Amino acid sequence: MDAYLTTLHTATTDLEATQVIQRLLEDEDIYHFGRVLDSPKAREVGLGLCQFDYKAAAAQLPELSERQLEKLKHLSLVSLASASKVLPYNDLIRELDCAHEQQMEDLVIDTIYKGLLSAKLDQQRRLVEVEFVVGRDVRRGDLQAIYESLDQWSALCEKELNTLTDGVNTAESESVSKRTREREFTFALQDLRMAYAAQASAGDEPDGLVRYDSQYTSSEYQREERRAGDM
């Protein structure tokens, strides 16, 4: 890319710039053109074609070489894979203008080998299942949609953050309430034990508490035992 940039910047005529762009578009290893898109010379000679999809390029641009058309099909496949993770064979054949199914499969496999896409071909269900796809150069017309997507993502993150914050606050409140109840119970139990100990040391039976020294537990026997003790 650096070599193309240097040559493009030093081009003195549109013809020289066009030749540089043509070589750049023919290069099988270059699929991202962001570093040169802002160059006035690139805009003048039509580097914008690298941002087209195949059908748009075929309809709006001059005749392209077979290699350039193949590269545009690769980029079009990247765009389709970015929009949907499951691509029916029939849709790909139509969108990529393939003559038959085998040509479409070869194009997908070639795109995978170039590292632009990771996907599985399900020949039985006639689907391409996308696992990973690289990003394409951003067109100015895409910026508004990107801004809107980022706003939606930001709003969703804020909503989830508020939900998590509410959950944390609720959990902390319940924890504080539980600790308060535990302290109150502990203090009450200590007061009860102190009161029992004080009454026991004075020889009195604590109010509300009944000592059962008998091995029997029936209420009738306990009443008789207490009556005998009173006599």
Side-chain angles (χ1 to χ4, degrees):
M1 178 63 76
D2 290 336
Y4 289 116
L5 282 171
T6 300
T7 307
L8 180 62
H9 291 327
T10 58
T12 58
T13 66
D14 288 347
L15 178 59
E16 291 179 358
T18 299
Q19 291 173 344
V20 175
I21 297 301
Q22 290 294 334
R23 292 198 301 272
L24 175 63
L25 297 176
E26 294 272 351
D27 194 316
E28 296 182 352
D29 296 324
I30 297 179
Y31 282 86
H32 293 89
F33 308 89
R35 294 176 61 189
V36 295
L37 282 175
D38 291 334
S39 170
K41 291 182 180 179
R43 289 196 297 269
E44 289 173 6
V45 298
L47 180 58
L49 79 86
C50 68
Q51 293 185 307
F52 279 87
D53 289 328
Y54 170 75
K55 285 192 171 182
Q60 300 181 37
L61 296 174
E63 184 176 351
L64 303 173
S65 68
E66 287 297 322
R67 185 172 294 178
Q68 290 172 347
L69 287 173
E70 183 180 16
K71 177 177 283 190
L72 280 172
K73 288 185 178 183
H74 290 156
L75 292 172
S76 296
L77 178 55
V78 167
S79 294
L80 293 171
S82 299
S84 176
K85 298 305 180 184
V86 178
L87 303 171
Y89 271 28
N90 289 340
D91 292 352
L92 291 177
I93 292 173
R94 181 182 65 254
E95 293 297 328
L96 301 176
D97 196 23
C98 296
H100 46 74
E101 189 171 295
Q102 184 61 52
Q103 183 182 9
M104 182 274 298
E105 289 182 338
D106 290 343
L107 180 64
V108 173
I109 292 172
D110 191 36
T111 306
I112 292 173
Y113 282 150
K114 290 183 179 300
L116 303 174
L117 178 72
S118 176
K120 295 179 180 179
L121 281 72
D122 188 334
Q123 294 179 323
Q124 183 175 0
R125 296 190 298 161
R126 303 183 74 248
L127 296 173
V128 174
E129 298 178 338
V130 179
E131 298 174 345
F132 163 80
V133 61
V134 300
R136 288 194 59 180
D137 292 312
V138 178
R139 294 173 290 189
R140 292 187 180 277
D142 297 331
L143 292 178
Q144 185 60 39
I146 293 174
Y147 293 152
E148 292 175 357
S149 296
L150 290 174
D151 286 340
Q152 292 175 1
W153 178 77
S154 177
L156 179 61
C157 289
E158 185 175 357
K159 179 180 178 181
E160 293 299 322
L161 179 60
N162 290 336
T163 300
L164 290 173
T165 301
D166 291 342
V168 170
N169 291 338
T170 299
E172 290 180 348
S173 177
E174 292 178 351
S175 178
V176 171
S177 178
K178 180 181 179 181
R179 290 196 299 268
T180 300
R181 292 194 301 270
E182 288 175 348
R183 286 197 300 270
E184 291 175 348
F185 175 81
T186 299
F187 293 152
L189 184 59
Q190 290 175 348
D191 291 342
L192 185 61
R193 287 173 175 171
M194 293 175 62
Y196 182 89
Q199 293 184 26
S201 63
D204 298 330
E205 192 74 25
D207 295 338
L209 297 177
V210 179
R211 292 178 55 193
Y212 297 131
D213 296 329
S214 172
Q215 61 179 324
Y216 300 100
T217 58
S218 68
S219 58
E220 291 82 5
Y221 190 91
Q222 292 166 9
R223 283 198 298 271
E224 291 298 325
E225 187 178 38
R226 286 197 295 273
R227 184 181 303 166
D230 294 339
M231 298 176 60

